[in-house]
Amino acid sequence: MASLKSCFRHSVASVALRSYFAEFISTFLFVFAAVGATMSSGKITADAGRDSWSLVAVAVASAFSLSVAVYISANISGGHVNPAVTFGMAVGGHISVPMAICYWIAQMLGSVMACLLLKTTTVGQQVPLHQIPQEMTGFGASILEGVMTFSLVYTVYASGDPRRGAMGAIGPLAIGLIAGANILASRPFTGGSMNPACSFGAAVIGGSFKNQAVYWVGPLIGAAVAGILYDNVVFPAQVPDSLRGISDGVGV
């Protein structure tokens, strides 16, 4: 009970409130740029869904905006910008459950507000939804989203690990690059979300929650597996003496 009260007090402290606000701003900026780039490509190109340059443009915009969003909030909230990342961190014990829930609320609000702003300012334009093609199953799309989110959250763990030194600017850049690469690989199939908040915001403003479970179940499972594997298998907190020489010989 005492531990629960302590977690609750920590989740409403001034430092925590600043973290929630930072997550709101970062998620807002990321979704505004990523969804806005998709809307712009659709406005310029008649068939943006089949245009390779449109795919590259959306991937680049998403990669750069995510890198910036993570960078500007990394020292305040950890730069999650994604409920799946927050879930992966909670599974790994790096953030308490009450704080993780507040992070989720801030991230989803930021996404909804960004999509609402795009909807109201671009008169006549529809907010693009994350969808899967008819030939794909929800299970297959969830697997795809899960694998991509695994790679994203694993990169977040690796780039933010203090045992590797300060994150600096290369960490957010690496996170943005893996997200952009995954979009290039999967956008025609699932939209390349990897971010439940982004899919949720578009669904709320777009007015359709079809296949929404794909963009929650897959990413959350992938994020949890990434956190467990990184912290307990690949790079555990305590390295046995028998392996210490091996780990010292690797550039980590």
Side-chain angles (χ1 to χ4, degrees), residues 5-252:
K5 290 181 178 179
S6 176
C7 288
F8 178 77
R9 285 197 299 268
H10 180 66
S11 66
V12 295
S14 59
V15 175
L17 296 179
R18 287 197 298 269
S19 297
Y20 308 149
F21 191 53
E23 284 295 310
F24 172 85
I25 293 175
S26 291
T27 307
F28 175 90
L29 295 177
F30 165 67
V31 174
F32 181 84
V35 176
T38 304
M39 295 173 68
S40 296
S41 65
K43 179 72 172 178
I44 295 172
T45 307
D47 192 1
R50 298 180 179 274
D51 182 57
S52 59
W53 288 109
S54 174
L55 172 62
V56 173
V58 172
V60 170
S62 299
F64 285 170
S65 60
L66 181 58
S67 295
V68 172
V70 172
Y71 181 77
I72 63 177
S73 59
N75 292 330
I76 305 172
S77 65
H80 293 187
V81 200
N82 186 334
V85 173
T86 301
F87 185 73
M89 290 295 173
V91 169
H94 299 279
I95 183 173
S96 67
V97 173
M99 283 195 69
I101 294 173
C102 293
Y103 268 47
W104 275 27
I105 295 172
Q107 291 157 355
M108 288 188 287
L109 282 176
S111 177
V112 170
M113 293 303 296
C115 292
L116 179 61
L117 180 62
L118 288 168
K119 174 71 174 179
T120 55
T121 55
T122 59
V123 181
Q125 296 297 308
Q126 295 296 322
V127 174
L129 303 173
H130 287 127
Q131 298 176 333
I132 62 176
Q134 292 183 351
E135 61 270 19
M136 282 195 70
T137 64
F139 178 76
S142 296
I143 293 295
L144 194 57
E145 283 288 325
V147 170
M148 292 188 299
T149 309
F150 170 88
S151 66
L152 174 64
V153 175
Y154 193 90
T155 304
V156 170
Y157 261 87
S159 62
D161 193 336
R163 293 170 293 180
R164 295 177 178 269
M167 177 183 283
I170 192 63
L173 180 60
I175 295 168
L177 288 176
I178 190 62
N182 284 337
I183 290 173
L184 288 173
S186 68
R187 180 167 171 76
F189 308 110
T190 66
S193 173
M194 298 167 281
N195 190 326
C198 186
S199 299
F200 176 80
V204 170
I205 303 304
S208 175
F209 287 89
K210 184 178 181 179
N211 295 318
Q212 186 69 193
V214 167
Y215 303 101
W216 284 89
V217 175
L220 292 183
I221 294 176
V225 172
I228 293 171
L229 282 181
Y230 186 86
D231 268 351
N232 297 280
V233 179
V234 179
F235 206 159
Q238 294 182 346
V239 180
D241 292 337
S242 60
L243 299 178
R244 191 172 302 278
I246 298 176
S247 63
D248 290 343
V250 181
V252 294

